[in-house]
Amino acid sequence: MQQHPLSASGSSTASSTASSEDGADGENLVAVQGTLERVVFHNAENGYTVFSVRTKKGDTVPVVGHMAEPQPGIALEIWGEWTDNPRFGRQLQMRRHQTVLPAQVEGIRHYLGSGLIHGVGPKTAERIVAAFGEDTFRVLDNEPERLLTVEGIGRKTAEAVREGWSEHRGIRDLIMFLQPHGVSTSYAVRIYRFYGKHALTVVQENPYRLAMDIHGIGFLTADAVARKLGFESESPLRAEAGVLYTLKKITDDGHVYYPFEHLVAKAASDLDISYDLVEEAIRTLRLEERVVLEPLPDGSEAVYLSRFHAYESGISTYLRRILGSPKSVNIPDPDTVVDRVVADMDMHLAEAQVEAVRTAARAKVMVLTGGPGTGKTTITNAIIKVFRSLKAKVLLCAPTGRAAKRMFETSGEEARTIHRLLEYSPREDGFQRNEDNPLACGLLVVDEASMMDTMLMFHLLKAVPLGATVIFVGDVHQLPSVGPGNVLRDVITSGVVDVVELTEVFRQAQESEIITNAHKINCGEVPYLESGKDQLSDFYFIRQEDPDRCAAMIVDLVRNHIPRRFGLDRFNDIQVLTPMHKGSAGAANLNVLLQKALNPGSRLIRRGEREYRLDDKVMQIRNNYDKDVFNGDIGRICVINEKEKELTVRFDDERNVIYAFNELDELVPAYAISIHKSQGSEYPAVVIPVLTQHYVLLQRNLIYTAITRGKRLVILVGAPKALSMAVKNNRMQKRHTLLAERLARRLG
């Protein structure tokens, strides 16, 4: 059996170094006292630590458990139970612990100067301990003003030491309280920073506030803490937090509000409480302005999380202001200007395309929508040229980095993500561009507008100057945004802005089977699945109904057949898109298989069950404004630095971004990604599994979106029946939103 470097020598260690006591839940725990000798492993994100303790008798005890900031040399008292690890042998599984403050002068000096207390280094610690000796901790706790009597410590340093000590003790007490409930060290620190010195009291009195106030701590964690503290399942505090939790889950499904009766039924079922208690909780939350209730046309009520009501109402308000303001770029004779610009262009525009450009020149806000091959890009470039000819300032943006990059490539104009355009500031935790500091432009063009959710649309319109012309470009038949709302469709449905819908597929585009099949699918027609063997096509369907064989075939296509036959790069040109995360042909399993096949290198680090290898293709899965990377950004791992415990990712926009090892939960393998994550992107080649095991998610706009991601090659692998199911299923989930009605009511 492999020995852990800290494995115990035998059961005699326990008897010679430990005593037993009954734990809080009646279990028999071993108690060990000693000095932390060596830290073998520490995860700063969740506090998981492997370390050794040297007892007073000189025995070394291997310990595993969660600890905030393990520092060699600190004295500990640990309670746990002996376990036999199949790989590492006998070790103490720590259930709880406390730091034993040293009583001797040398230990106190080492403890203070160890780096545990912010603002106290070795020299400051030496001065303090020289002045107060064994009385140091009592002075810091009860008479911190006496620090001013220490030579070399002024008022500023004394205040920093006092704050650092107070925070250290507060965080330590909070961590000791929360760790048994599964709340990580990093979250304990955030909780303390939010509530300050009253943090422990707040958590003990109402642990459900954690779910309401601390981003990243969910209701389930807060509920587990509350149950252990003795809160009843019918507690009004639990009901209030549970209603907010239910509403948050509902917004994750794309809804902006939820009907009152449906919310009551769902929350009562999820929380296993009475309808009356849920209704009372909603009334309380309304008084606290955490939710907003608004009448619906059928006589019932809509329940919003307050911020989403503000977003939806704000979109209506700002769009009304923009539409009601005169154009800053005055075009006295739009048709003449457009005709002159179009005549100077290198390519011929059809009459319908020219009319779309004329509409943009006359309109204040316009939506340009249409499928692939209908000329959206050509028209957009013509609109830009019209405004440029009038010396107008033009801004281009898109929701994702890939979409912005493609916009630049097709227009030759600088294009930015919406987040960068609005200048998000981590320090201010908000966008710097707003109604008080608007964007400077006469024309704003927003590509891939179907991807914009309610929140992003609100912040964008908030920053648009009132005189600007705004053009939204997108394909309304694609999947709606990942976030709440169906903004582009609602704006079109409201009838309050000019809409140009392109339907004609131009001759050159008709030669592409990708484009013709995408339009067939959009019309509910299953494409012809037999490809000619004598000539290369850009669209293929490979029959393989067994999920495991389907996954193996996809790996073979990416590794061998596509690069060999089409001359495409395995990493940079081919993207696997899948409807689901789970299953043999889901993103999780395909990533494991593709990583092994395409990048079997030995330079790697492990985090849980996931491996990160040098040259791996990875994707950012949440917005990180500090790093200026956003959900869906894809890059390659170019550096792994074991010494500094960090790696570097080079993203598609040629930027290098450093991640500490404890930040790797923001990165996932990206050899295979979900179709939702691919929105706004185009790839030279896409490979898509389509199986009946995906039936829950198989719908027309999902397959349509996936196919239109491919520029040069699309390969579907799976069952014809599954494809037919998807094409025939046009029952898109209704998203609860009142934006269209709100716009029509205020602007119609």
Side-chain angles (χ1 to χ4, degrees):
M1 182 173 64
Q2 181 182 354
Q3 281 290 301
H4 190 290
L6 297 177
S7 59
S9 57
S11 59
S12 60
T13 305
S15 61
S16 64
T17 64
S19 59
S20 297
E21 67 158 38
D22 287 333
D25 298 321
E27 77 272 51
N28 195 266
L29 300 180
V30 174
V32 173
Q33 288 186 335
T35 302
L36 197 157
E37 182 179 48
R38 177 182 168 219
V39 178
V40 177
F41 173 78
H42 175 66
N43 184 327
E45 177 64 26
N46 59 24
Y48 180 77
T49 309
V50 180
F51 61 101
S52 64
V53 169
R54 172 77 68 173
T55 70
K56 292 180 181 179
K57 294 183 179 181
D59 297 315
T60 297
V61 180
V63 186
V64 293
H66 292 80
M67 182 177 289
E69 296 171 315
Q71 292 284 342
I74 62 172
L76 294 171
E77 188 165 8
I78 298 167
W79 292 268
E81 53 200 4
W82 290 107
T83 61
D84 288 306
N85 186 288
R87 287 185 62 195
F88 302 125
R90 191 168 172 78
Q91 51 189 263
L92 188 67
Q93 181 71 46
M94 182 173 70
R95 300 289 290 274
R96 55 191 175 91
H97 74 280
Q98 68 179 26
T99 303
V100 180
L101 295 177
Q104 303 300 316
V105 168
E106 186 59 34
I108 295 172
R109 184 186 297 113
H110 182 274
Y111 183 87
L112 277 185
S114 65
L116 280 170
I117 295 95
H118 182 70
V120 182
K123 290 185 178 179
T124 302
E126 192 168 337
R127 291 190 183 111
I128 293 171
V129 176
F132 303 121
E134 295 177 0
D135 207 26
T136 296
F137 292 139
R138 190 195 62 79
V139 170
L140 291 173
D141 281 336
N142 303 319
E143 301 177 276
E145 66 277 3
R146 289 180 60 189
L147 289 167
L148 291 171
T149 65
V150 178
E151 184 178 353
I153 293 183
R155 190 171 299 278
K156 186 176 180 181
T157 302
E159 181 61 20
V161 172
R162 186 194 66 76
E163 288 183 359
W165 176 254
S166 176
E167 180 179 87
H168 169 69
R169 293 297 296 265
I171 292 174
R172 194 185 69 171
D173 293 345
L174 188 63
I175 287 169
M176 289 175 63
F177 175 77
L178 289 174
Q179 274 186 353
H181 307 300
V183 180
S184 72
T185 297
S186 60
Y187 280 122
V189 172
R190 286 170 60 181
I191 292 166
Y192 186 86
R193 299 268 159 80
F194 188 87
Y195 297 122
K197 63 183 180 180
H198 302 297
L200 186 55
T201 303
V202 169
V203 172
Q204 289 172 329
E205 290 181 353
N206 182 5
Y208 292 107
R209 284 189 60 180
L210 296 176
M212 298 181 187
D213 298 336
I214 309 298
H215 179 70
I217 294 184
F219 170 79
L220 298 180
T221 299
D223 197 33
V225 174
R227 294 295 183 93
K228 290 183 180 180
L229 289 174
F231 282 76
E232 299 291 335
S233 62
E234 296 279 327
S235 164
L237 296 175
R238 180 174 184 267
E240 292 159 23
V243 167
L244 294 177
Y245 166 67
T246 304
L247 269 176
K248 175 64 171 63
K249 286 201 302 180
I250 287 167
T251 61
D252 290 342
D253 290 336
H255 303 292
V256 183
Y257 77 84
Y258 215 54
F260 184 92
E261 293 81 4
H262 295 175
L263 175 61
V264 171
K266 181 169 178 54
S269 174
D270 289 353
L271 301 173
D272 194 21
I273 58 178
S274 69
Y275 279 41
D276 289 345
L277 190 56
V278 174
E279 291 180 4
E280 182 60 33
I282 294 172
R283 285 191 286 270
T284 301
L285 292 168
R286 183 182 192 178
L287 291 173
E288 294 176 352
E289 299 183 348
R290 292 182 181 268
V291 302
V292 173
L293 273 64
E294 185 171 313
L296 289 170
D298 64 1
S300 62
E301 288 183 296
V303 185
Y304 289 82
L305 287 172
S306 294
R307 64 181 180 278
F308 285 107
H309 185 266
Y311 295 151
E312 192 175 87
S313 301
I315 290 172
S316 175
T317 298
Y318 290 119
L319 196 55
R320 175 174 59 84
R321 291 179 185 175
I322 295 166
L323 286 167
S325 301
K327 291 169 71 80
S328 59
V329 180
N330 186 32
I331 310 178
D333 187 358
D335 291 359
T336 301
V337 173
V338 168
D339 291 345
R340 184 178 69 248
V341 170
V342 168
D344 291 338
M345 292 182 66
D346 295 334
M347 64 175 63
H348 172 74
L349 269 66
E351 182 55 35
Q353 293 177 311
V354 175
E355 187 54 41
V357 181
R358 290 174 181 152
T359 301
R362 290 190 294 264
K364 196 66 169 52
V365 178
M366 185 184 94
V367 173
L368 177 64
T369 183
T374 56
K376 294 193 301 295
T377 299
T378 301
I379 294 169
T380 300
N381 289 338
I383 293 169
I384 293 169
K385 290 181 185 297
V386 167
F387 279 79
R388 285 286 191 209
S389 74
L390 300 168
K391 310 300 181 186
K393 175 73 180 294
V394 177
L395 291 177
L396 311 183
C397 66
T400 68
R402 276 181 170 261
K405 183 179 180 182
R406 197 176 73 250
M407 206 177 184
F408 163 71
E409 291 168 349
T410 57
S411 70
E413 302 268 351
E414 180 189 13
R416 285 174 277 179
T417 64
I418 295 174
H419 288 89
R420 290 185 183 127
L421 183 73
L422 299 181
E423 300 174 17
Y424 184 86
S425 167
R427 182 185 296 272
E428 302 295 331
D429 192 26
F431 295 106
Q432 299 305 290
R433 293 290 185 172
N434 50 46
E435 57 197 324
D436 298 321
N437 182 30
L439 299 165
C441 64
L443 172 69
L444 176 65
V445 182
V446 186
D447 199 8
E448 295 290 351
S450 64
M451 295 180 65
M452 282 196 301
D453 63 17
T454 302
M455 182 193 76
L456 197 56
M457 181 68 152
F458 165 76
H459 285 292
L460 180 64
L461 291 179
K462 191 177 180 181
V464 172
L466 295 180
T469 296
V470 184
I471 309 294
F472 294 108
V473 184
D475 186 346
V476 76
H477 298 294
Q478 287 187 21
L479 290 168
S481 58
V482 175
N486 203 344
V487 175
L488 184 64
R489 185 176 291 275
D490 282 349
V491 170
I492 293 171
T493 302
S494 71
V496 301
V497 304
D498 291 288
V499 178
V500 175
E501 183 167 8
L502 307 170
T503 56
E504 181 184 356
V505 180
F506 290 93
R507 187 173 61 189
Q508 186 177 1
Q510 289 175 352
E511 298 173 2
S512 165
E513 286 192 54
I514 295 174
I515 290 175
T516 55
N517 284 330
H519 283 278
K520 284 181 179 179
I521 289 169
N522 194 36
C523 294
E525 181 181 346
V526 179
Y528 181 65
L529 301 182
E530 300 296 334
S531 300
K533 302 187 185 303
D534 297 332
Q535 61 183 17
L536 289 179
S537 172
D538 62 0
F539 186 94
Y540 295 87
F541 188 97
I542 300 175
R543 287 174 168 81
Q544 182 49 262
E545 302 192 15
D546 180 80
D548 291 331
R549 291 179 180 175
C550 174
M553 180 167 287
I554 287 171
V555 172
D556 196 32
L557 285 166
V558 175
R559 181 172 57 181
N560 298 315
H561 294 289
I562 295 174
R564 186 169 59 237
R565 194 168 188 197
F566 295 92
L568 296 173
D569 183 84
R570 297 177 178 91
F571 281 93
N572 300 321
D573 295 336
I574 307 171
Q575 184 62 59
V576 177
L577 307 178
T578 177
M580 295 185 72
H581 181 72
K582 297 179 180 179
S584 300
N589 185 57
L590 284 171
N591 271 312
V592 172
L593 298 177
L594 288 164
Q595 183 190 52
K596 184 178 180 180
L598 302 181
N599 191 27
S602 58
R603 285 290 309 278
L604 59 87
I605 61 165
R606 289 186 175 87
R607 280 295 173 269
E609 297 180 357
R610 189 171 288 156
E611 293 182 351
Y612 297 86
R613 300 182 181 182
L614 190 65
D615 291 328
D616 260 348
K617 189 176 183 179
V618 292
M619 180 173 62
Q620 176 79 15
I621 59 171
R622 65 178 66 110
N623 291 339
N624 187 321
Y625 300 105
D626 292 322
K627 296 183 185 296
D628 199 28
V629 288
F630 302 99
N631 190 357
D633 286 354
I634 291 178
R636 299 275 296 277
I637 296 175
C638 58
V639 176
I640 294 179
N641 189 331
E642 293 273 9
K643 182 178 179 182
E644 299 295 331
K645 296 190 182 304
E646 61 187 26
L647 59 76
T648 303
V649 176
R650 188 168 184 80
F651 283 96
D652 287 342
D653 58 4
E654 308 300 320
R655 291 184 308 112
N656 289 341
V657 178
I658 295 174
Y659 291 80
F661 285 177
N662 62 12
E663 297 174 317
L664 294 183
D665 60 337
E666 297 187 12
L667 292 175
V668 297
Y671 299 100
I673 65 175
S674 71
I675 295 170
H676 276 90
K677 290 287 188 184
S678 74
Q679 284 180 271
S681 300
E682 281 186 348
Y683 311 92
V686 296
V687 183
I688 310 159
V690 186
L691 297 166
T692 52
Q693 70 172 188
H694 299 154
Y695 75 94
V696 176
L697 294 174
L698 289 178
Q699 56 190 41
R700 186 183 301 171
N701 62 350
L702 185 86
I703 297 299
Y704 175 79
T705 299
I707 288 174
T708 55
R709 300 308 91 204
K711 291 192 292 186
R712 293 166 52 187
L713 179 66
V714 171
I715 299 179
L716 303 177
V717 184
K721 179 182 178 182
L723 179 62
S724 179
M725 287 169 57
V727 174
K728 300 298 183 186
N729 178 15
N730 198 32
R731 299 189 304 274
M732 290 178 287
Q733 180 197 23
K734 172 180 169 56
R735 291 190 167 191
H736 290 292
T737 160
L738 288 178
L739 180 60
E741 293 85 346
R742 208 181 292 277
L743 288 170
R745 186 168 64 245
R746 298 192 67 170
L747 300 170

